[in-house]
Amino acid sequence: MSLNSKAVGSMQLGDHLCLFFDNDEERRSIMAAYVRDGVRAGQKIIYISDAVTATEVLDWLLGAERDAPVAGPDGPGGPGDAADPVDLAAAMEEGHFVVRTAEETFLASGRFDPQGSLDLMATEIDLALVQGYSGVRIAGEARFSLRRWPGTEQHGDFERMLDEMFMTNDLKAMAICQFDRRWFDAERLAELEACHMGHVGADAYYDDGSLRITPIFSPPGVALAGVIDESTRPAAEKVLESVATRTNLLCLDVGGVTDCDADGLRLLTRADGPERGPNRGLLLRGVAPRLGERIESAGLARASGLAIDPAPR
């Protein structure tokens, strides 16, 4: 991730980050982790949807929980998740996890009022703290701002004011604002980006300091960075086996791989082998010249269904 980005699991109270996405699975993965982590931390979650109901949001997030890949011992799916499961449905019933539509939240007075919306958020935060929560997690879908409701032309002002509120106050809250690149043009996104402290991204599936495996969503797969050797290979194999079963074409971005032993090469080139079924493919993306030469000399470049995309020179 870039310097102005944070993994969702690393967010702290006081963060006001944006999520720019063009893939629904990416958004769902990040938001499910955000909500789940908030419940575990004893924080109240306020999710502001564009228009869908609380039940629909819950079903959508539960789908991410069901589809999450198994990871290594230091990533999602490891002992920490198993030992501390989260019942999102129960959290919603208890008021720990609240979903409201943008219309309910921002248009109670008949028009969108930036200052009134900020005051409402401040009141919600104060109330949650009085109720005993350790903080508040706010998540907002921003597509409502394109609906031409009265006052929504001031949405940019609202984002700037919200960022200033987070920057100048010691808030026991954090926020993610969600922007779909398929609806917002590049110029508008650049303006909105400037109204946030940075971007939020997905958590790593595995990271032990030597090897980091993170999800990519378009095309679906993972990015690997670091060393693949005897110590890290079992975790990599576990992640790849889980991810490979979920897509017909698996992309492994290996541009960050600095070293890889012979067994690691075989793992990378067979990550979506024929035993996983017919009509499946594997793309190795960002293959450095040295890594490509080793794959070729080992006779692995001609594996069935394998395509190799060299790194730019």
XYZ file of all heavy atoms in Angstrom, residues 16-24 26-31 47 60 140 142 175-181 184 189 196 198-202:
283
model
N -10.070 9.215 9.330
C -11.142 9.504 8.374
C -10.586 9.163 6.994
O -9.826 9.926 6.405
C -11.539 10.988 8.462
C -12.533 11.408 7.405
N -12.392 12.589 6.690
C -13.653 10.811 6.950
C -13.397 12.702 5.850
N -14.180 11.639 5.985
N -10.929 7.965 6.498
C -10.327 7.436 5.281
C -11.379 7.219 4.202
O -12.573 7.113 4.486
C -9.614 6.112 5.570
C -8.557 6.130 6.681
C -7.938 4.736 6.829
C -7.481 7.168 6.409
N -10.911 7.172 2.958
C -11.813 6.923 1.849
C -11.526 5.558 1.233
O -10.389 5.071 1.267
C -11.704 8.016 0.788
S -10.058 8.266 0.092
N -12.560 4.964 0.696
C -12.450 3.710 -0.030
C -12.949 3.959 -1.444
O -14.138 4.177 -1.659
C -13.284 2.618 0.647
C -13.461 1.307 -0.128
C -12.113 0.674 -0.433
C -14.354 0.339 0.636
N -12.021 3.984 -2.404
C -12.376 4.076 -3.818
C -12.364 2.650 -4.373
O -11.353 1.959 -4.279
C -11.366 4.925 -4.593
C -11.370 6.385 -4.232
C -10.378 7.215 -4.719
C -12.350 6.939 -3.427
C -10.354 8.565 -4.400
C -12.345 8.278 -3.094
C -11.344 9.108 -3.586
N -13.449 2.203 -4.948
C -13.535 0.819 -5.400
C -14.241 0.742 -6.748
O -15.035 1.605 -7.104
C -14.280 -0.037 -4.363
C -15.736 0.331 -4.207
C -16.711 -0.339 -4.933
C -16.118 1.339 -3.343
C -18.050 0.015 -4.803
C -17.458 1.695 -3.193
C -18.415 1.019 -3.939
N -13.906 -0.304 -7.480
C -14.643 -0.609 -8.703
C -15.010 -2.081 -8.744
O -15.371 -2.615 -9.785
C -13.849 -0.218 -9.956
C -12.446 -0.779 -9.962
O -12.195 -1.761 -9.235
O -11.593 -0.238 -10.686
N -14.893 -2.723 -7.591
C -15.178 -4.143 -7.476
C -15.957 -4.372 -6.196
O -15.497 -4.005 -5.108
C -13.855 -4.928 -7.458
C -14.055 -6.418 -7.417
O -14.491 -6.963 -6.414
N -13.729 -7.078 -8.513
N -17.134 -4.950 -6.307
C -17.993 -5.110 -5.132
C -17.401 -6.062 -4.100
O -17.626 -5.899 -2.893
C -19.380 -5.605 -5.559
C -20.153 -4.544 -6.337
O -19.941 -3.352 -6.061
O -20.950 -4.901 -7.216
N -14.231 -6.363 -3.353
C -13.239 -5.598 -2.594
C -13.921 -4.788 -1.497
O -13.512 -4.807 -0.331
C -12.475 -4.669 -3.536
C -11.475 -3.770 -2.839
C -10.762 -2.834 -3.791
O -11.217 -2.661 -4.946
O -9.738 -2.257 -3.382
N -14.966 -4.082 -1.857
C -15.681 -3.262 -0.868
C -16.259 -4.135 0.239
O -16.157 -3.814 1.428
C -16.794 -2.476 -1.559
C -17.599 -1.606 -0.602
C -18.506 -0.663 -1.340
N -19.664 -1.301 -1.907
C -20.897 -1.243 -1.382
N -21.095 -0.586 -0.248
N -21.907 -1.825 -1.966
N -16.861 -5.241 -0.142
C -17.492 -6.104 0.859
C -16.460 -6.692 1.814
O -16.685 -6.758 3.026
C -18.275 -7.224 0.169
C -19.106 -8.046 1.134
C -19.992 -9.023 0.424
N -19.245 -10.089 -0.221
C -19.777 -11.260 -0.567
N -21.054 -11.500 -0.322
N -19.052 -12.185 -1.158
N -15.309 -7.095 1.294
C -14.253 -7.657 2.135
C -13.777 -6.639 3.168
O -13.618 -6.954 4.358
C -13.083 -8.100 1.249
O -11.991 -8.513 2.024
N -13.573 -5.410 2.727
C -13.073 -4.364 3.625
C -14.125 -3.979 4.655
O -13.844 -3.863 5.860
C -12.625 -3.138 2.809
C -11.367 -3.486 2.010
C -12.367 -1.931 3.713
C -10.983 -2.448 0.978
N -15.374 -3.827 4.213
C -16.406 -3.393 5.147
C -16.749 -4.483 6.157
O -17.033 -4.191 7.324
C -17.664 -2.955 4.394
C -17.468 -1.725 3.515
S -16.542 -0.370 4.319
C -17.518 -0.111 5.785
N -23.647 2.210 10.180
C -23.472 2.031 8.737
C -24.573 2.797 8.012
O -25.763 2.538 8.223
C -23.531 0.550 8.368
C -23.108 0.269 6.945
C -21.839 -0.204 6.651
C -23.983 0.513 5.884
C -21.440 -0.441 5.349
C -23.594 0.279 4.574
C -22.325 -0.193 4.317
O -21.921 -0.406 3.014
N -25.440 -9.050 3.010
C -24.283 -8.740 2.165
C -22.980 -8.965 2.935
O -22.046 -9.595 2.434
C -24.415 -7.294 1.695
C -23.314 -6.769 0.852
C -22.982 -7.157 -0.417
C -22.414 -5.712 1.201
N -21.920 -6.404 -0.876
C -21.553 -5.520 0.092
C -22.254 -4.919 2.332
C -20.548 -4.561 0.094
C -21.256 -3.956 2.327
C -20.409 -3.784 1.228
N -19.986 5.108 5.528
C -20.997 5.768 4.713
C -20.826 5.484 3.232
O -19.716 5.584 2.701
N -21.487 6.835 -0.376
C -21.611 8.228 -0.830
C -22.422 8.400 -2.104
O -22.577 9.525 -2.579
C -20.213 8.825 -1.038
N -13.939 6.774 10.584
C -14.925 6.773 9.500
C -14.299 6.298 8.202
O -13.138 6.592 7.908
C -15.521 8.163 9.312
N -15.099 5.543 7.432
C -14.755 5.180 6.060
C -15.868 5.695 5.155
O -17.048 5.394 5.364
C -14.630 3.654 5.871
C -13.457 3.097 6.671
C -14.445 3.321 4.390
C -13.306 1.579 6.557
N -15.483 6.476 4.149
C -16.428 6.976 3.149
C -16.195 6.196 1.853
O -15.066 6.117 1.370
C -16.231 8.460 2.907
S -16.411 9.476 4.402
N -17.260 5.622 1.310
C -17.148 4.704 0.178
C -17.574 5.383 -1.126
O -18.670 5.943 -1.208
C -18.038 3.491 0.418
C -17.748 2.764 1.718
C -18.832 1.762 2.046
O -19.095 0.834 1.278
N -19.489 1.940 3.183
N -16.685 5.302 -2.127
C -16.943 5.943 -3.422
C -16.725 4.922 -4.535
O -15.641 4.358 -4.675
C -16.011 7.137 -3.633
C -16.134 8.195 -2.568
C -15.266 8.210 -1.487
C -17.124 9.161 -2.651
C -15.377 9.176 -0.499
C -17.240 10.131 -1.668
C -16.374 10.145 -0.588
N -17.760 4.700 -5.318
C -17.716 3.745 -6.426
C -17.167 4.447 -7.664
O -17.772 5.397 -8.177
C -19.132 3.225 -6.681
C -19.163 2.029 -7.608
O -18.257 1.912 -8.450
O -20.109 1.227 -7.517
N -16.024 3.978 -8.147
C -15.409 4.598 -9.331
C -16.296 4.496 -10.568
O -16.110 5.238 -11.529
C -14.062 3.935 -9.634
C -12.952 4.239 -8.649
C -11.623 3.790 -9.229
N -10.528 3.992 -8.308
C -10.035 3.063 -7.507
N -10.580 1.842 -7.521
N -9.030 3.315 -6.708
N -18.510 7.839 -9.825
C -17.835 9.121 -9.663
C -16.709 9.236 -10.692
O -15.902 8.312 -10.837
C -17.243 9.245 -8.257
C -18.270 9.343 -7.170
C -18.825 8.204 -6.604
C -18.689 10.584 -6.703
C -19.768 8.287 -5.600
C -19.633 10.683 -5.696
C -20.179 9.534 -5.136
N -13.391 12.386 -7.983
C -12.690 11.559 -7.008
C -11.430 12.246 -6.499
O -11.086 12.129 -5.322
C -12.337 10.205 -7.625
C -13.502 9.231 -7.825
C -13.027 7.990 -8.555
C -14.141 8.865 -6.489
N -9.828 13.662 2.651
C -9.628 12.526 3.546
C -8.166 12.400 3.926
O -7.279 12.864 3.205
C -10.112 11.229 2.884
C -11.578 11.183 2.632
N -12.166 11.820 1.561
C -12.591 10.591 3.326
C -13.470 11.621 1.600
N -13.759 10.881 2.664
N -6.487 9.704 3.981
C -5.844 8.675 3.177
C -6.859 7.654 2.719
O -8.073 7.844 2.836
N -6.346 6.557 2.172
C -7.175 5.471 1.662
C -7.165 4.296 2.640
O -6.227 4.126 3.417
C -6.640 4.981 0.319
C -6.677 6.012 -0.771
N -7.712 6.104 -1.672
C -5.808 6.996 -1.103
C -7.477 7.098 -2.511
N -6.325 7.657 -2.188
N -8.198 3.475 2.526
C -8.232 2.226 3.289
C -8.194 1.065 2.311
O -8.756 1.139 1.209
C -9.488 2.149 4.190
C -10.761 2.123 3.367
C -9.419 0.946 5.117
N -7.488 0.002 2.701
C -7.386 -1.183 1.860
C -7.656 -2.443 2.656
O -7.855 -2.407 3.878
N -7.653 -3.562 1.961
C -7.949 -4.843 2.593
C -6.799 -5.295 3.483
O -5.633 -4.963 3.250
C -8.226 -5.900 1.528
